[in-house]
Amino acid sequence: MIETIATADSNRELAPGYRLLTLDLKEDVPVRAGQFAMLKPHASLEPLLRRALAVYRVHSPRRISFLYQVLGRGTEALARVENGGAVEALLPLGNSWPDAIGANQRVIVVAGGIGSASVFMLCEKLASTGVDTQLLFGARSEPTAIGCGLEDFRALGLPLTLTTDDGSLGEQGFVTGALERELLRSGRPRSTIYACGPWVMMKRVAEIAVQFEARCFVSLEAPMGCGFGVCVGCVVAVKTRGTNEYGSYKRVCTDGSIFPAESIRWEVDPIAH
Amino acid sequence: MADGTNNDPRLAVEISGIRFNNPVIGASGTFGYGLEFADLIDLNRLGGFATKGLSARPLPGNPPPRIVETHGGMLNAIGLQNIGARAFVEEKLPLLARYDTRIIANVFGYSDDEYIEAITILNDGDGIAAYELNISCPNVKEGGIVIGNSPTAAARLTEKAKLASSRPLIVKLSPNVTDIAILARAIVDAGADCISLINTIVGMSIDVNTRKPRLSYGTGGLSGPAIRPIAVRMVHEVARAVDVPLIGIGGIASAADALEFIIAGATAIQIGTANYYDPTVTMKVIDGLTAHCESHHIATIKGLIGSLE
């Protein structure tokens, strides 16, 4: 974990509301697939808190990119960072995607919307190691698919199924439908599913994983104060023996952000309630 | 980063016989159990830190969402999630023994008996410099703020805690009262060695689309730069009302912020929310206080305490 002031090399719009920020770091930072950073423009107190963004790509140990959707005050402030601008960064944070285990292991990666940012490095790794992988990529529409890095994913050469809510690109429908069809088609007894996307999507992915007896890991997000475990603001409810009606909690920042899907109490949404 | 050997003697302060290398203390609830910062700052340079509120038994805290950012601050309703006093004594204190910093154990309970039980457990721990009685957390339905709003209840608990405690007792005040000086006098009369203030201010944020509160608990505690002027005013009021050392808390993020509290009457200060958005802020404030002493030819920062003209 390194606290640093990085320099923005570029910060460009990929599609309306979706941007790619590339930072140059002053020192080597080893980042594993699925990890994240806490970022905010340097010396700005509006907003006050840094924002958690998944590391999208590592170009070199000193040069990394973040794919992000401009959603609120924090990401709006990041969107205003110009080339050469200074960004306060704390990284790398969180755990990483666990390896698929077992002979004849097959992998399905489910990327929902901007959740694609968390799985790109995982897909790079899978593509380079030759693991039998299916990539299911879901977005609201053609522009959002482009904004969520579709071309980068395509360039990896993995078998890819694309869904859009409005049918403007790929199949019309939700990516969870594609997941069910994929599991039905292949009858994969030893599939490992890796998913990142909206809570409601991952909740459904977790249900499908149970139905098909597949291992499933999800990368979660939650409002974070610090990103390194002290504020306890980003918790999710987990299915361990607890002392109140909500069970026990785990911190998304330091206990995750990646969790086994079956460990999560999906009825307790950490963002909406 | 400097090491423990270069502490500036001009910054040293004393509270109830405890020497702090400097007046910069990490605030309870924003500093975990200290160890979380070990990779980010030199804990040996820190004046001290207050632990997350410790209860006799572990507490799970409130359901999410627990935090929401506001302009110049944030609201939290963590609900005092903590590992419990026993686990702190057995698992955290031995790891903290290698650091030369003052550890203040923040204590919480849902009843007087639970506070005393937590203190009794913590009395077994080595390396705790003082207790900080949390009678002011707005994010639990019992204990906390109920006690903190009543001078009678606060004084009763302070008296019991003082009797049970083997260490100096700091009492942390709630700002959510009509007259904080009345509360402070009641607590000092009951035996408190020191007062820390302020805790967070009860606030609320509403999602206009869902028409629900943004926090699952409904209300939360407002912290951050937005509350600093209120905290400075309250430290000033309490400094005029009582004759024990004060620790100022509320939106401090720079040496200048810290100096406002010291000039208003605080012997030391605690840094809270700024630790989230700048994990190295405590070191920057210490450096800034040294620079201030140099540029203003100040022999000791103690001379600034309560120096408001």
Side-chain angles (χ1 to χ4, degrees):
Chain A
M1 179 167 57
I2 289 164
E3 158 76 15
T4 189
I5 297 172
T7 305
D9 179 69
S10 72
N11 188 11
R12 64 189 173 89
E13 188 177 78
L14 299 184
Y18 294 86
R19 302 182 73 89
L20 185 70
L21 170 67
T22 301
L23 295 181
D24 287 331
L25 305 167
K26 290 174 184 152
E27 54 192 305
D28 289 2
V29 178
V31 178
R32 287 174 284 134
Q35 291 191 297
F36 67 97
M38 294 295 286
L39 303 177
K40 73 180 280 194
H42 179 47
S44 166
L45 291 181
E46 173 48 45
L48 200 61
L49 302 175
R50 298 177 184 192
R51 294 298 188 265
L53 292 188
V55 174
Y56 178 58
R57 299 187 76 162
V58 172
H59 307 281
S60 79
R62 294 191 183 199
R63 188 176 163 81
I64 58 178
S65 292
F66 300 87
L67 185 69
Y68 64 105
Q69 186 178 6
V70 182
L71 278 172
R73 290 160 58 203
T75 43
E76 281 165 9
L78 280 172
R80 289 192 293 271
V81 172
E82 296 178 350
N83 293 356
V87 175
E88 292 173 7
L90 184 69
L91 76 166
L93 300 169
N95 59 8
S96 58
W97 295 105
D99 290 333
I101 299 168
N104 304 318
Q105 184 61 249
R106 290 164 173 179
V107 165
I108 304 172
V109 178
V110 185
I114 199 64
S116 60
S118 177
V119 297
F120 184 78
M121 287 174 69
L122 169 71
C123 288
E124 269 187 322
K125 189 173 154 188
L126 291 165
S128 68
T129 52
V131 173
D132 179 3
T133 302
Q134 282 287 327
L135 170 59
L136 311 180
F137 191 102
R140 203 174 302 139
S141 63
E142 181 175 357
T144 58
I146 303 298
C148 293
L150 178 62
E151 294 315 313
D152 289 338
F153 280 90
R154 275 189 167 140
L156 295 175
L158 292 170
L160 187 151
T161 302
L162 176 65
T163 66
T164 51
D165 297 1
D166 65 1
S168 55
L169 201 64
E171 301 170 14
Q172 182 169 12
F174 295 138
V175 72
T176 46
L179 174 63
E180 277 185 291
R181 284 197 304 278
E182 173 60 27
L183 286 162
L184 278 171
R185 182 189 68 77
S186 60
R188 292 177 164 180
R190 284 183 298 276
S191 293
T192 298
I193 301 168
Y194 299 102
C196 187
W199 184 266
V200 64
M201 179 205 96
M202 287 192 288
K203 183 179 180 182
R204 182 70 192 124
V205 168
E207 288 167 359
I208 294 168
V210 170
Q211 186 187 335
F212 287 90
E213 299 177 355
R215 294 170 79 227
C216 181
F217 297 94
V218 290
S219 176
L220 302 181
E221 68 167 334
M224 284 185 192
C226 66
F228 58 101
V230 295
C231 77
V232 208
C234 64
V235 296
V236 286
V238 293
K239 291 175 185 168
T240 48
R241 194 157 56 91
T243 51
N244 73 358
E245 64 183 295
Y246 294 95
S248 294
Y249 301 109
K250 287 198 170 179
R251 292 166 296 190
V252 171
C253 65
T254 47
D255 298 319
S257 61
I258 293 155
F259 295 89
E262 74 272 12
S263 71
I264 303 299
R265 292 190 61 183
W266 291 101
E267 70 276 19
V268 186
D269 186 333
I271 296 172
H273 65 100
Chain B
M1 191 180 292
D3 62 29
T5 59
N6 74 343
N7 281 313
D8 183 345
R10 287 173 297 188
L11 299 188
V13 294
E14 194 180 299
I15 293 172
S16 308
I18 308 158
R19 184 182 189 275
F20 288 76
N21 285 334
N22 59 66
V24 179
I25 300 169
S28 176
T30 67
F31 221 77
Y33 305 104
L35 298 160
E36 294 90 336
F37 282 83
D39 289 344
L40 292 162
I41 63 170
D42 183 353
L43 286 172
N44 297 313
R45 287 193 70 209
L46 199 63
F49 74 91
T51 66
K52 188 142 181 55
L54 296 165
S55 43
R57 277 164 291 284
L59 290 175
N62 291 328
R66 290 177 167 186
I67 60 171
V68 58
E69 181 163 347
T70 57
H71 283 281
M74 61 176 275
L75 287 167
N76 89 79
I78 305 298
L80 290 159
Q81 175 176 337
N82 78 94
I83 59 172
R86 180 60 64 193
F88 177 72
V89 168
E90 293 177 359
E91 295 166 23
K92 303 293 183 184
L93 277 177
L95 298 175
L96 287 163
R98 75 185 72 156
Y99 299 106
D100 175 25
T101 189
R102 300 288 170 261
I103 300 163
I104 298 170
N106 185 285
V107 181
F108 173 79
Y110 286 103
S111 65
D112 286 7
D113 288 347
E114 285 187 18
Y115 276 94
I116 304 309
E117 193 181 344
I119 289 172
T120 306
I121 294 167
L122 292 166
N123 280 341
D124 294 340
D126 292 328
I128 298 171
Y131 298 126
E132 181 177 59
L133 212 55
N134 179 1
I135 61 164
S136 44
C137 180
N139 300 324
V140 289
K141 289 190 171 69
E142 303 156 65
I145 204 157
V146 177
I147 296 168
N149 281 346
S150 158
T152 313
R156 184 193 65 222
L157 176 61
T158 300
E159 208 171 317
K160 288 182 188 174
K162 183 68 185 161
L163 277 172
S165 167
S166 62
R167 298 180 167 113
L169 186 68
I170 303 163
V171 179
K172 185 170 180 178
L173 296 190
S174 165
N176 304 298
V177 293
T178 310
D179 188 338
I180 199 161
I182 290 173
L183 195 63
R185 275 194 292 268
I187 284 162
V188 170
D189 289 346
D193 298 298
C194 172
I195 285 177
S196 57
L197 72 164
I198 59 175
N199 206 318
T200 54
I201 300 172
V202 180
M204 189 176 194
S205 179
I206 294 170
D207 184 324
V208 298
N209 296 313
T210 63
R211 300 187 207 171
K212 288 180 176 179
R214 289 186 186 274
L215 295 172
S216 74
Y217 187 72
T219 57
L222 180 65
S223 63
I227 72 166
R228 192 167 58 242
I230 299 168
V232 172
R233 184 264 296 176
M234 288 188 158
V235 165
H236 180 236
E237 283 181 8
V238 171
R240 289 190 298 178
V242 299
D243 197 21
V244 296
L246 306 182
I247 301 173
I249 320 165
I252 297 170
S254 70
D257 298 341
L259 286 161
E260 278 198 62
F261 282 84
I262 291 168
I263 293 166
T267 296
I269 56 96
Q270 291 182 7
I271 297 179
T273 300
N275 288 303
Y276 297 162
Y277 60 85
D278 181 359
T280 63
V281 65
T282 48
M283 301 293 107
K284 290 173 186 164
V285 172
I286 294 167
D287 290 341
L289 291 176
T290 297
H292 184 84
C293 286
E294 266 165 26
S295 64
H296 289 73
H297 309 292
I298 291 168
T300 167
I301 202 147
K302 284 185 273 192
L304 287 180
I305 298 168
S307 62
L308 184 69
E309 294 188 353

